[in-house]
Every structure is written in structure tokens, then in C-alpha cells.
Amino acid sequence: MVFYILHTFLLLNYLSQTESMRTGGNIFTRRYKEPKETNYRQIEKQILDDILGPKVYDPRIRPAGENTTDGPSMVYVNVFMRSFSKIDDVKMEYSFQITLRQQWNDKRLRFKEKLEGMGVEEDKIRYLTMTDASKVWMPDTFFRNEKIGRFHSILTPNLYIRVFPGGDVLYSIRVSLICTCGMYLALFPFDEQTCNLDVASYGWTKNDLIYVWKGAGALQFAGNLSLPGGFKLANSTNKYCDVKTATGEYSCLRVDLVFARELSFYIVTIYVPCFMIVVVSWFSFWLDYKAVPARVALGVTTLLAMSTTMASIQKSLPPVAYTKAVDVWSGVCVFFVFSALLEYALVNYASRSDAQRAAKQKERKEKELELCAFNAEQIEDSSHTHSLDPLLRRIEGAQFIPPASIYPPRLPTNRVSLWMRNFKFAAKKIDVFSRVFFPSVFAIFNCLYWSFYLTREQQNKR
């Protein structure tokens, strides 16, 4: 009896363990088992397989228009300016980096109903992310004024594709570009340059594809954005630039970037050095005109320094067929420096003329003294009866005395003439006159130059 009971107990225990292994628990804990956790990644994979199957989706066919019509596909664009690396005046181009975002609706990729059928809440799977752009249809977007461009692939390709439950597709990619920028430099460095970025479709006409700016914030800039080369961002706008060619009319979006130059940068690097060179060239007016080596060395040195400065300015600018504002400044500065050198040539010529004139005056005075001595001897030897009165004797001999020695010279009443007569030689007069004339004319030029170019409006002649 005991053996029979023991055998029955072992048999029931064996059957219980076998059922527990098969059902995941024994008969006592089976009804209290916790439900399994949902694997959303597996659901995402299943949805992607369903909506991107070869029999369901063909990436070669563009999406239908709005309201599932045969109209053009609408692509909404957002541009995020990340940085500017170079603005080249010589090549007339600028380099920058952007994040380009494009969004469109493709009803074939809609999976909202699938989520509802699986009992998945919409906030659990807000979108599906892909990195292979060849799996879905993509607009043939290109940049019309691009010269060189490249994608970023470190450490992985910097792009993503998000597919939303309603069928919206968001494509974001990071791109570095070098684009052309036609510049009109007549007001350089007081100018503002407007550079464009044109986004358009290469093959789809407006009957098939239309680009639209995505809301008010379609054009965005990084918070720590800075511009190179002495520029600052004065303004930015986004607009449309549809173009019509021989093959049809194409949709186009345009970003206008207005770059204004930092005038303080050019004042420090161009205007102040040129001004100092011109002022240094005037120091020769205070040197003795007989100091030939000092004055020639100073004039030649300032002229060479001005020529070098002008060459460095032209090297940083493209050769254009019109005169720039900086050309006027540098040309006038070179003229003043060269004029200071020519002034010494005139002073040197005047000094030699003064020397010749002084020699002639000395010779003439010697002749006058000889003549006066001869007249005095003639008076003494004359048998003419002289008056015993000293005053009469002076009157009698007055015919032999030069009139200039009797009457004092007339002094000029004009103060300028009186001031100029204080200098005996003409060479000194030229130096004294130049000390006033050169700075005065240069000051007048500065007033006209700055008032003209600072008030002149920018003209974009492309």
C-alpha cells in the first residue's frame, strides 16, 4: 500500500514538471504569469519590411501630389547655416557649411493604420529612421551656383531619413559648399556684397516638383556664427527664383546673404599706414635744404613704402576695369609722397639760383664800392670851390651817392608778405610754404573723400 502511494506521488511530480517546462510554469503559477514586454524595434522592422517591399514601393516613382492627385510633389525646404570658412574677393566665391532639410509627403509610406492594427500607441513609435537614401524616392536637388561641394562621412555619413506615420519624409544632410558670388567692388572697402545660394531641381520641372520654404524659420543660423576676412552679416532673406530654360520651367529657392565689411579692420590695415607714410614724407620740409642725403633718403624711403603698401592692397583684390575707393585713396597718397620728393627737387634748384643771385649781388656791391671810392677821390681832387658849410658840402656830393642809400626801402603792409620777406632765400620760402600747403590740401582731400564714400549708396552691378 505504501509502495503504491509513493509510486503515484512520483508520477504526479513528473507530470507536473513536464507541464511546467512546456507551458513556462506549473499549474499553480501559470495564471499569475506577467505578460511579455513589447519589442518595438521588431515592430519597426516589420513595418519597414511591409512598406518598402518591392511589390509595394518603387523608389523610382515620385510621390503623388497633394490630396493624392497627379499634381506636382511639394518639397518643403529648411536651410541651417552652420559656419562660414572663407569669403574670397579675388576668386569671387565664398565657402560655408549648411544642414539641408527637405520634407515631403509620400502616401505609400504611410503606416499609421498599421500601428493602430497592432495596438501600438503613436507616441511609442513617432517615426522610423533610415540612413540609406536609396530605399525611398528622393528629390533631385542641386545647388545652381555651386563650384565645389562635398558630403561628410566621419565617423558615419552625416544624414538621416525619418518616415512619419502620416507618410511625411524628412531628409537631413550636412554639406560643405564653395559657391560663386559676383562682386562689385567700386566702393571697396565701404561696400556690401550680396551672395546667393540657389536650391533647385535638376530634372523635375514645376509640373512634377515644386520647392517651398518651410514656414517663417526656413532660414536659420548657428548661435556662435562668425564671418572671416573682416566681414559681418548685415542681412539675410529667402525668396523664390524659378528659372525657365529650353527644357522647361524649374522650381528654385534662393538665399540672399548680405556681407558688409568691418570698416575698422581696413582703417587699421590700410588707411592708417598710408596716412602715416604721407605724414612722414612731410618731415623733409623741416630739414635743412643743404642736408641732401637726409632729404633724398627720406623721400625715396617713403615713396618705396607707399608703393609696397599699394601693391599689397592690389594683391588682395581682383583686377577689375573700374576704379575702387581704395584706389583713389592709395593713388592720392602716392601722389602726395611723390610731390614731397619733387618739392625737394624744386628747393634744390631754388637754392642753386639763390647762390648764383647772391654771387651776382656780391659782385654788384663790390662794383658800387669801387665806384663810390672813385667818386670820393674825384671830389677831393676837384678844383671846385667847396662851401665851408658841412651841409652844403653834403648836398654838393650827393650826386655821387646812390639814392637807395638815402631813402629806406618801403616795407610791405601785408602780413603774409612781411612774413615771407623774413626769409632771405627762395629755397627756404618754398619749404615754409610747403609746411602749410601740403597738410592743408591733404586735409581737404580727406574731408571730401570720407564724406563722399560714407554717404554713397551701394550699387550692385552684376
Side-chain angles (χ1 to χ4, degrees), residues 230-460:
F231 284 92
K232 63 180 179 180
L233 187 62
N235 193 14
S236 62
T237 55
N238 54 296
K239 56 186 180 182
Y240 297 90
C241 57
D242 298 346
V243 59
K244 190 173 184 180
T245 66
T247 58
E249 187 175 3
Y250 297 88
S251 178
C252 174
L253 302 179
R254 172 169 293 176
V255 177
D256 284 340
L257 302 171
V258 180
F259 300 129
R261 300 185 192 272
E262 291 281 1
L263 189 58
S264 59
F265 172 79
Y266 294 95
I267 289 177
V268 173
T269 57
I270 294 179
Y271 288 94
V272 170
C274 293
F275 180 83
M276 293 176 64
I277 293 173
V278 173
V279 172
V280 169
S281 69
W282 298 339
F283 290 174
S284 62
F285 303 153
W286 277 266
L287 297 178
D288 188 7
Y289 64 89
K290 296 180 181 180
V292 178
R295 296 193 65 160
V296 172
L298 182 60
V300 173
T301 302
T302 53
L303 184 60
L304 291 177
M306 193 64 229
S307 301
T308 304
T309 304
M310 189 174 180
S312 64
I313 295 172
Q314 296 300 327
K315 186 178 180 180
S316 61
L317 295 173
V320 292
Y322 47 83
T323 302
K324 302 179 287 293
V326 71
D327 295 337
V328 176
W329 172 265
S330 58
V332 171
C333 289
V334 170
F335 173 77
F336 270 91
V337 174
F338 185 70
S339 298
L341 187 61
L342 290 181
E343 186 268 351
Y344 179 65
L346 181 60
V347 168
N348 187 270
Y349 173 79
S351 65
R352 287 187 285 110
S353 299
D354 291 338
Q356 295 176 0
R357 191 181 307 108
K360 291 181 179 180
Q361 289 180 355
K362 183 178 180 181
E363 183 180 355
R364 186 169 56 254
K365 287 182 178 179
E366 291 178 352
K367 290 182 178 180
E368 290 178 355
L369 291 176
E370 292 178 357
L371 182 61
C372 291
F374 176 76
N375 292 335
E377 293 176 356
Q378 185 178 5
I379 293 173
E380 292 177 357
D381 296 340
S382 176
S383 58
H384 181 71
T385 304
H386 296 283
S387 175
L388 297 177
D389 190 355
L391 179 60
L392 294 177
R393 287 202 301 269
R394 291 178 184 177
I395 296 175
E396 291 174 354
Q399 57 179 341
F400 303 104
I401 301 174
S405 61
I406 299 177
Y407 299 101
R410 297 182 60 185
L411 296 177
T413 58
N414 191 358
R415 291 185 178 182
V416 177
S417 301
L418 180 62
W419 177 66
M420 293 296 293
R421 286 181 63 89
N422 292 332
F423 301 99
K424 183 177 181 180
F425 301 104
K428 189 64 176 179
K429 293 180 181 179
I430 295 175
D431 274 343
V432 173
F433 178 76
S434 300
R435 294 173 189 175
V436 179
F437 178 76
F438 275 75
S440 301
V441 176
F442 192 67
I444 294 173
F445 162 74
N446 272 271
C447 294
L448 296 176
Y449 178 86
W450 293 101
S451 61
F452 175 76
Y453 282 106
L454 289 177
T455 58
R456 190 176 180 185
E457 295 182 358
Q458 174 69 24
Q459 297 178 357
N460 292 323

Side-chain angles (χ1 to χ4, degrees), residues 51 67 94 173 184 186 306 335 340 351 427:
I51 63 178
N67 301 324
Y94 69 112
I173 187 170
Y184 183 64
M306 193 64 229
F335 173 77
S351 65

Side-chain angles (χ1 to χ4, degrees), residues 186-204:
L187 297 181
F188 177 87
F190 306 94
D191 57 334
E192 293 182 352
Q193 301 300 334
T194 302
C195 297
N196 303 326
L197 174 63
D198 295 345
V199 181
S201 172
Y202 192 81
W204 297 101

Side-chain angles (χ1 to χ4, degrees), residues 84-268:
F84 292 89
S85 57
K86 188 177 182 181
I87 301 176
D88 196 332
D89 295 305
V90 178
K91 297 181 179 180
M92 292 193 177
E93 63 185 20
Y94 69 112
S95 307
F96 59 101
Q97 186 181 122
I98 65 169
T99 296
L100 178 66
R101 304 185 184 101
Q102 303 175 82
Q103 185 171 349
W104 64 93
N105 186 270
D106 194 342
K107 297 297 183 182
R108 298 172 296 175
L109 300 177
R110 182 183 178 92
F111 60 91
K112 185 176 182 179
E113 291 77 9
K114 294 182 181 296
L115 294 178
E116 295 176 354
M118 295 178 182
V120 180
E121 298 180 3
E122 192 171 344
D123 60 342
K124 296 296 183 181
I125 301 180
R126 292 180 296 176
Y127 51 80
L128 304 176
T129 303
M130 299 184 298
T131 56
D132 189 358
S134 63
K135 297 294 184 180
V136 297
W137 176 87
M138 302 292 296
D140 58 342
T141 306
F142 83 111
F143 302 98
R144 289 178 54 192
N145 58 331
E146 171 210 348
K147 296 177 66 175
I148 300 175
R150 68 181 181 90
F151 300 115
H152 295 263
S153 57
I154 299 176
L155 297 168
T156 58
N158 296 174
L159 64 90
Y160 65 79
I161 302 169
R162 292 176 180 175
V163 182
F164 294 86
D168 290 336
V169 181
L170 175 62
Y171 175 56
S172 177
I173 187 170
R174 187 163 71 104
V175 188
S176 291
L177 299 171
I178 299 178
C179 296
T180 59
C181 178
M183 300 181 182
Y184 183 64
L185 302 171
L187 297 181
F188 177 87
F190 306 94
D191 57 334
E192 293 182 352
Q193 301 300 334
T194 302
C195 297
N196 303 326
L197 174 63
D198 295 345
V199 181
S201 172
Y202 192 81
W204 297 101
T205 63
K206 290 187 67 174
N207 297 327
D208 300 313
L209 182 65
I210 295 179
Y211 289 97
V212 181
W213 286 112
K214 188 179 180 181
L219 180 60
Q220 299 174 330
F221 295 89
N224 57 345
L225 188 65
S226 61
L227 274 66
F231 284 92
K232 63 180 179 180
L233 187 62
N235 193 14
S236 62
T237 55
N238 54 296
K239 56 186 180 182
Y240 297 90
C241 57
D242 298 346
V243 59
K244 190 173 184 180
T245 66
T247 58
E249 187 175 3
Y250 297 88
S251 178
C252 174
L253 302 179
R254 172 169 293 176
V255 177
D256 284 340
L257 302 171
V258 180
F259 300 129
R261 300 185 192 272
E262 291 281 1
L263 189 58
S264 59
F265 172 79
Y266 294 95
I267 289 177
V268 173

